[in-house]
Amino acid sequence: MSPVSDAELLTQLRQIVGANEVLTSPSATRRYRKGIRFGEGPALAVLRPGSLVEMWRSLNVCSKARKIVIVQAANTGLTGGSTPDGDAYDREIVIISTLRLAKIHLIKDGSQVVCLPGATLYQLEDALKPLGREPHSVIGSSCVGASVFGGVCNNSGGALIHRGPAFTQMTLYARIDESGNVDLVNHLGIKLGDDPESILRAVEAGGFAAGDIIDDPDRHCSDHDYQTYVRDIDADTPARFNADPKRLFESAGSAGKVMLLAVRLDTFPKNKNVVDFYIGTNDPDELTQIRRDILANFKNLPVQGEYLHRDAFTIAEKYGKDTFLAIQYLGTDRIPAMFALKGRFDAFCAKFPFLPEDLSDKLMQFGASLFPKHLPKRLYAYHEQYEHHLILKMSGEGVQEVRDYFAKMFPSRTGAYFECSKEEGDKAFLHRFAAAGAAIRYRAIHRKEVQDIVALDIALPRSERDWFERLPDEITGKLVHKIYYGHFFCQVFHQDYIVKRGFDTTEVEHAMWKILDTRGAEYPAEHNVGHLYHAKPALVDHYRTLDPTNSFNPGIGQTSKCAHWR
C-alpha cells in the first residue's frame, strides 16, 4: 500500500511545481498519455516542472509514494515508449513532461554541448548554426520536434553516415536503487558541487569554468567508431540496432529506465560543398552495387543516403503533403507548436461523440489538397519510370568521386541518375522525410477500409545483398499497401504495412517477425522496443540493472509492469 493517499501526493506535487503545472483531468492529460502512432493509458497526473530541482523533488515524492514515473520529452516516439500502455499496472502512473526544461549550454567552443531534458534537435541545430556545426541528427533524418534525450535513451538516429546513432557515456541521471532510495549519478565530467540540488542548479545555470570540464579518455560523447563499423560490408550483423550491447551504457539505450537530467554530446562540423544525386532503377541489385562499392572503395563516405520505393513515393505525395508544406513554408521550429495545437484540438473533439473521428487529420488533408503539385518535375518523371529511388548526399571531395563513378555506371540497363539542383535536392529529402508519417494519415482518412498499421523498422546484416522484401501471397492478400523507405547505407529500413479491415494486425505482425528472423534481421533498428516489440535479453538486463524496482516506465519491451519485476 502507498504510504500516502493520492490526494496527499497531488498536494505535495502542487507545492513543488505549482498548481497550474499538475494536470489531472483526462482531457488535459490526453496528449501526454497518448502516443502519436501507438500507445495510450491512464495516469494519475502529468507534471510539468520548471527546473531540474523540481524534477528531482517530484521524483523523490513519487518514489516514496510508490508510484510509477514515466519521464516524457517531445512524445514523438512511434512505438509507444514514452506513454502508458493500457491499464494492467500494479501502481498509479505519474508522467513528468520535461518540455519546459529546454536549455542548451555550448562548451569547449561549441565542439560539445550540455543539453537539458526538454531540448529538441531543431533547437540544438539552431544553436549550433552560427558556429558552422551540427548535432548528430538534423531535420530530414529524424522526427519533427524530436528531443535530444529521446535519441540518447533509444540509441536512435544514424541516418547521417559520418555520425552514427545518438550516443554518449557522459550523462547526469537519477536512479532508484533496490531499497527504493533515489540516487543522483554525475558522469557528465563536469565539477558541479556535492549535494544533489547544488549539482542540479549548477548544471541548469551553465556557465561552466573551463577548468571544471574534464575529458575522460575512457568515455565518449558520440559513437566515435561508427564510420569504420558501417564500412564493414561483409559482416554478418547489422551496422546499428537498438539492442546492440555495444551501445548500451547507463543512460544510452535506457528507454526511460532512469530519470535523465543532462547529457554531454559531441557536435560536428557542418558539411561543405554539398551536392545531392537522385538515382532511379528497376533493379534493386544496382543499388546494392552502389552501396557496396561506395562503402568499400570510396575515400569519402556519403553524408546521407535515403531509399524510397515507388509506392512510398505515391503515398507520401498525397498523405504527407501537409507535413511537407508545413516544413517548407513555416520552418521546423514551428512544427512542434502545431502538433501541440493538434493534440489540444483532438482532446477537445473527443468530448463530443457526434464529431467525426480524426477530424483534425481530415481538415489538414483537405487543406493540403487545395495546393498544387509540390514536387519538382524530374522527381515525378522518375516516379513514373523507376520502382526504386535512392537520394544520395555527398560533400567535399566525395562529390567528384560520385560523379566519376556514376559516369561509368549510368545509364545502366534499368537505371539512371541526375545531379539535383538545390531545390530538387532539398525537396527530395523532405519528401522522403514526409513518408514517415504518411501511413498514419492514410489510416485516419480510410478508417472504414483499414484495420490498422503494422510499422516495422528493421536492420539487415551489413553483408546482406538481397535487401528488398518479397512477401508471400498469404500476407500480401491481407494488406492494402506496403510502404518501404529507409537509410540505405546502413540497411535500416522502415516498412509500414496498412492492413485491410477485418484482418488481425497482431497475426500479420508476428508473421512478419518470423520472416525477419529467417533473414537475420534485428528489430527494432532505431525506434526502440516501446510497447510493441519484445526486448531481447541484453536489453532486459540493461533495464533491470538500471531500475531494479521497476519504477521507471515499466512494461517497456513487453516486460513486467509490476514492482520489482514480479
Side-chain angles (χ1 to χ4, degrees), residues 236-255:
D236 59 2
T237 58
R240 59 185 177 93
F241 59 99
N242 291 134
D244 188 350
K246 180 177 181 290
R247 299 186 181 95
L248 300 177
F249 188 92
E250 296 180 355
S251 302
S254 64

Side-chain angles (χ1 to χ4, degrees), residues 47-62:
L47 311 185
R48 300 185 298 195
S51 71
L52 295 181
V53 170
E54 289 181 4
M55 277 187 71
W56 167 258
R57 291 176 179 174
S58 298
L59 175 60
N60 277 270
V61 168
C62 289

Side-chain angles (χ1 to χ4, degrees), residues 185-213:
V185 180
N186 180 13
H187 288 162
L188 275 178
I190 302 175
K191 297 176 183 177
L192 297 167
D194 298 317
D195 69 282
E197 294 199 359
S198 296
I199 291 171
L200 294 171
R201 290 190 181 96
V203 76
E204 188 165 353
F208 315 114
D212 291 335
I213 301 173

Side-chain angles (χ1 to χ4, degrees), residues 298-510:
F298 273 38
K299 179 182 178 182
N300 300 278
L301 281 174
V303 176
Q304 195 173 355
E306 296 296 298
Y307 170 76
L308 192 67
H309 186 264
R310 174 189 278 155
D311 293 344
F313 187 112
T314 304
I315 295 292
E317 197 274 339
K318 183 173 182 179
Y319 297 97
K321 186 176 181 179
D322 63 309
T323 298
F324 182 104
L325 295 174
I327 294 173
Q328 180 183 7
Y329 291 115
L330 300 179
T332 58
D333 56 337
R334 297 187 183 181
I335 302 302
M338 289 182 59
F339 275 113
L341 181 62
K342 180 182 183 298
R344 287 193 289 269
F345 180 81
D346 289 340
F348 173 79
C349 292
K351 297 178 182 179
F352 305 99
F354 60 85
L355 289 177
E357 191 176 9
D358 303 307
L359 180 58
S360 63
D361 287 281
K362 291 173 181 176
L363 291 173
M364 293 164 70
Q365 185 67 24
F366 174 74
S369 70
L370 301 177
F371 286 79
K373 286 185 176 294
H374 57 290
L375 298 176
K377 291 182 179 179
R378 285 203 284 188
L379 267 64
Y380 282 117
Y382 267 51
H383 168 244
E384 292 296 325
Q385 192 170 356
Y386 301 112
E387 180 180 3
H388 305 282
H389 299 232
L390 176 64
I391 316 162
L392 182 64
K393 185 182 293 292
M394 300 295 297
S395 67
E397 295 177 357
V399 173
Q400 193 57 49
E401 277 192 287
V402 164
R403 285 172 177 158
D404 294 342
Y405 175 73
F406 282 171
K408 297 176 182 178
M409 182 174 185
F410 293 113
S412 66
R413 180 172 55 83
T414 72
Y417 85 101
F418 64 87
E419 190 170 316
C420 299
S421 67
K422 177 69 166 57
E423 179 188 15
E424 287 173 328
D426 289 347
K427 288 188 173 182
F429 274 101
L430 183 51
H431 181 57
R432 153 62 189 89
F433 178 79
I440 302 173
R441 174 58 55 77
Y442 187 97
R443 177 183 62 185
I445 302 301
H446 299 279
R447 286 281 184 186
K448 293 181 179 180
E449 299 91 39
V450 173
Q451 187 68 32
D452 209 339
I453 300 168
V454 172
L456 302 177
D457 67 300
I458 69 165
L460 295 176
R462 285 164 282 176
S463 59
E464 179 62 65
R465 296 170 184 256
D466 189 16
W467 53 270
F468 185 65
E469 182 177 69
R470 296 169 181 83
L471 292 175
D473 292 342
E474 59 265 27
I475 293 181
T476 56
K478 300 175 182 179
L479 305 177
V480 180
H481 289 291
K482 305 185 298 289
I483 305 175
Y484 297 125
Y485 53 97
H487 316 299
F488 190 68
F489 283 80
C490 55
Q491 299 213 120
V492 168
F493 295 101
H494 302 287
Q495 302 181 169
D496 296 340
Y497 308 95
I498 302 176
V499 181
K500 292 178 182 178
R501 173 66 69 179
F503 289 100
D504 187 335
T505 53
T506 301
E507 181 182 299
V508 171
E509 184 168 25
H510 290 178

Side-chain angles (χ1 to χ4, degrees), residues 2-16 44 61 65 67:
S2 172
V4 298
S5 68
D6 290 348
E8 290 173 314
L9 173 62
L10 292 174
T11 297
Q12 293 176 21
L13 293 173
R14 290 184 180 107
Q15 290 171 346
I16 294 171
L44 175 65
V61 168
K67 303 300 182 188

